[in-house]
Amino acid sequence: MSEFWQGKTVLLGVTGGIAIYKAVGLASKLAQAGAAVDVVMTPAAREFVTPLTFAAVTHRGVHTDPWLADRKPEHIALAERPDIVVIAPCTANTMAKLAYGLADNLLTSVLLATVKPVLIAPAMNVGMWNAAPTQRNLQALAADGYHFIGPDDGNLACGYTGTGRMSEPETIFAAMEEVLRGETDKTDS
């Protein structure tokens, strides 16, 4: 266990992309480091893996429905809990929704309501990444204070080679710690 992650809560947002297998590794790494990991899966993410996969590595329930909370709508309760939110993988579709403030699933609703730092790990085809709308959305999200890690260059699941690979879990893990330490520095000054 890592002393840094003890007592920290992470909200891991998972969208529908083949890189989701890396998100399982990230969730496991965070839980092993001592973080409480709440996972929110979009409907498309559940087409790639089941919530049980994330529950098994985090030892916590997985959130998929915005109307299951005790006293508040779940998206508000989840937005208040974490020290940091990470979206891995984050598809072009979800980036577009965030850039325009759309809240049509539990994850996008949580992200619209949170004031916590958000780290996005994009994963998509090289053409989608380089597309002008995606680059505009990236700039808009960065201007809104979102943090980014990746995407990396390499072989993509679609058979192309180029920028679009989700960063490796270890890289995302380190970036999360860096973002949190930066946020702590801001509050200490």
Side-chain angles (χ1 to χ4, degrees):
M1 284 201 226
S2 165
E3 192 174 307
F4 178 82
W5 290 101
Q6 293 301 305
K8 298 253 187 328
T9 300
V10 173
L11 189 141
L12 173 59
V14 185
T15 70
I18 193 64
I20 199 168
Y21 75 92
K22 292 182 181 180
V24 174
L26 177 61
S28 178
K29 186 169 183 57
L30 286 161
Q32 289 173 24
V37 182
D38 289 319
V39 177
V40 175
M41 297 180 74
T42 65
R46 294 191 308 269
E47 295 293 320
F48 287 89
V49 298
T50 68
L52 182 59
T53 303
F54 284 102
V57 299
T58 63
H59 309 288
R60 295 171 68 89
V62 175
H63 306 273
T64 59
D65 186 339
W67 313 116
L68 296 177
D70 301 355
R71 293 185 286 268
K72 312 182 174 179
E74 191 165 16
H75 66 288
I76 301 302
L78 286 167
E80 294 172 343
R81 257 184 243 155
D83 294 288
I84 188 169
V85 177
V86 61
I87 311 167
C90 187
T91 60
N93 184 52
T94 297
M95 283 179 59
K97 289 178 182 184
L98 296 176
Y100 287 92
L102 299 178
D104 66 347
N105 61 46
L106 179 57
L107 178 60
T108 54
S109 296
V110 168
L111 288 161
L112 196 57
T114 194
V115 296
K116 305 302 173 111
V118 178
L119 177 66
I120 296 176
M124 62 196 74
N125 166 273
V126 62
M128 294 172 78
W129 175 251
N130 290 327
T134 302
Q135 292 303 304
R136 280 194 303 272
N137 293 337
L138 171 69
Q139 295 305 314
L141 291 169
D144 287 345
Y146 287 83
H147 303 271
F148 285 85
I149 183 71
D152 298 337
D153 293 335
N155 295 323
L156 306 175
C158 60
Y160 286 68
T161 300
T163 304
R165 287 178 63 84
M166 187 173 99
S167 296
E168 295 301 320
E170 297 77 19
T171 305
I172 298 169
F173 184 83
M176 291 172 66
E177 189 169 325
E178 187 177 309
V179 168
L180 278 175
R181 287 187 190 280
E183 292 293 319
T184 301
D185 292 345
K186 286 181 193 173
T187 60
D188 290 342
S189 353

